[in-house]
Amino acid sequence: MSDTRTAPPPVATARPSSPPFTGRSVLAVWRRRRLARSWPAVLSWLVLVALVLVAVVGPLLVQADPLRQTSSSLLPMGSSGHLFGTDDLGRDELARLVHGARPLLLVAFAATALAAVVGTGIGLVAGYAGGVVEQVLMRIVDLALAFPSILLVILLVAAAGPGTVSLVFGIGVSLAPGLARLARALTAREAAHDYVVAAKLGGTRTSRVLARELLPNIAGPMLAQVVMTLSIAAGFAAGLSYLGLGIQPPQPDWGYMVQAGQEFLYTAPRLVVLPATFTLLFVVACNFVGDDLRDALDVRGPA
């Protein structure tokens, strides 16, 4: 008698889930994906690097004193010894442009770093803790976002007094809420994944979960947004210097140079056009570079 029994059907096994994204994955993604894949991105990277180099090493290469006043006022561009001419006080315009890049970019980078640390920290804690902690922190963030950013910056800087330190503090605090909201959304999404739940059930300390599990996973989108925030910080710094609340004269600064040169807008427009153009180039380059970083570091996108 033949055996009519049939073999049991195969048991379906779950497909192994992809490993969680960790800090080491960033290097792999960076190798697979190429930055600056379009000509606007290439041009933006070149402009951004060039302006940073001007701010860092430019003052070492330009020998003219940006504060030295001479009788050769309002010399046109191409004058002997003054490539970009002189301003109304006879100061070399090229030297003032080069020396004016450092304070503006220093304020922009420092304020953005402050906003990134504060905003990312608040967003991580709120997104991971949830409940009452999240509600309290995010209501504070919403209250800060209810104020127009430029108005909040002016209030903070005016309360602390004009100067570099108050400028960094005011801009950093005003930009932190936007980064905090993004960090909370990214953290809440990642906190629901199995690797975070497993770390919590395994007794991993909260600080270690935040630093080792969650932060590397939100680093890509946050980095792109931080670079875009850098453009806003530079615009705020230049605008406040224009209003007299930022970097104080006689130290050259692109924002203050626009304000000082507007009196000669029709007779010597370069005094306004040149610093305003350099500020605009930096702002636009930061936005395009941020977009490029977002595409390159999006590990969940198509390869």
Side-chain angles (χ1 to χ4, degrees):
M1 181 177 179
S2 60
D3 189 0
T4 58
R5 291 177 300 175
T6 59
V11 178
T13 58
R15 297 179 59 185
S17 59
S18 57
F21 173 55
T22 62
R24 288 186 292 271
S25 301
V26 174
L27 297 178
V29 172
W30 197 277
R31 295 189 189 101
R32 293 200 313 267
R33 295 168 183 265
R34 194 163 51 87
L35 287 174
R37 291 173 292 179
S38 62
W39 70 263
V42 173
L43 184 60
S44 298
W45 275 104
L46 292 176
V47 169
L48 184 59
V49 171
L51 291 178
V52 172
L53 287 177
V54 167
V56 174
V57 303
L60 302 177
L61 302 178
V62 177
Q63 301 299 322
D65 185 356
L67 303 179
R68 181 173 177 269
Q69 301 181 16
T70 66
S71 58
S72 304
S73 61
L74 296 179
L75 290 179
M77 295 182 65
S79 300
S80 177
H82 303 284
L83 181 61
F84 286 174
T86 58
D87 65 0
D88 58 310
L89 299 178
R91 296 172 295 190
D92 186 79
E93 187 68 9
L94 175 60
R96 291 181 61 77
L97 285 170
V98 171
H99 285 79
R102 179 177 292 180
L104 178 66
L105 299 192
L106 179 62
V107 168
F109 276 99
T112 303
L114 176 62
V117 172
V118 174
T120 304
I122 293 175
L124 275 171
V125 173
Y128 179 73
V132 177
V133 175
E134 180 183 15
Q135 291 297 321
V136 171
L137 290 177
M138 297 315 296
R139 293 300 76 77
I140 297 175
V141 169
D142 291 341
L143 181 63
L145 289 173
F147 287 89
S149 297
I150 185 61
L151 178 60
L152 184 59
V153 173
I154 293 175
L155 291 175
L156 292 174
V157 174
T164 302
V165 176
S166 61
L167 197 60
V168 170
F169 175 78
I171 296 175
V173 171
S174 66
L175 295 179
L179 294 175
R181 172 173 284 186
L182 175 61
R184 186 211 66 84
L186 295 172
T187 302
R189 183 186 67 184
E190 294 295 329
H193 290 175
D194 293 341
Y195 69 94
V196 177
V197 176
K200 293 168 62 176
L201 294 177
T204 306
R205 290 180 301 176
T206 299
S207 59
R208 186 177 180 85
V209 174
L210 294 176
R212 298 292 299 274
E213 304 291 344
L214 291 172
L215 183 58
N217 283 275
I218 69 172
M222 288 302 301
L223 177 60
Q225 188 62 37
V226 165
V227 175
M228 294 182 183
T229 303
L230 178 62
S231 67
I232 303 176
F236 281 171
L240 289 173
S241 294
Y242 176 86
L243 295 175
L245 295 174
I247 301 167
Q248 297 298 296
Q251 184 177 17
D253 167 75
W254 290 347
Y256 173 73
M257 290 172 66
V258 172
Q259 189 273 338
Q262 65 181 0
E263 181 181 351
F264 310 95
L265 182 60
Y266 297 103
T267 57
R270 56 185 170 79
L271 298 180
V272 173
V273 172
L274 288 176
T277 299
F278 284 125
T279 304
L280 178 64
L281 285 175
F282 182 78
V283 170
V284 173
C286 286
N287 280 283
F288 277 100
V289 168
D291 283 336
D292 192 47
L293 283 172
R294 180 188 59 196
D295 295 337
L297 298 178
D298 185 9
V299 296
R300 292 175 176 82

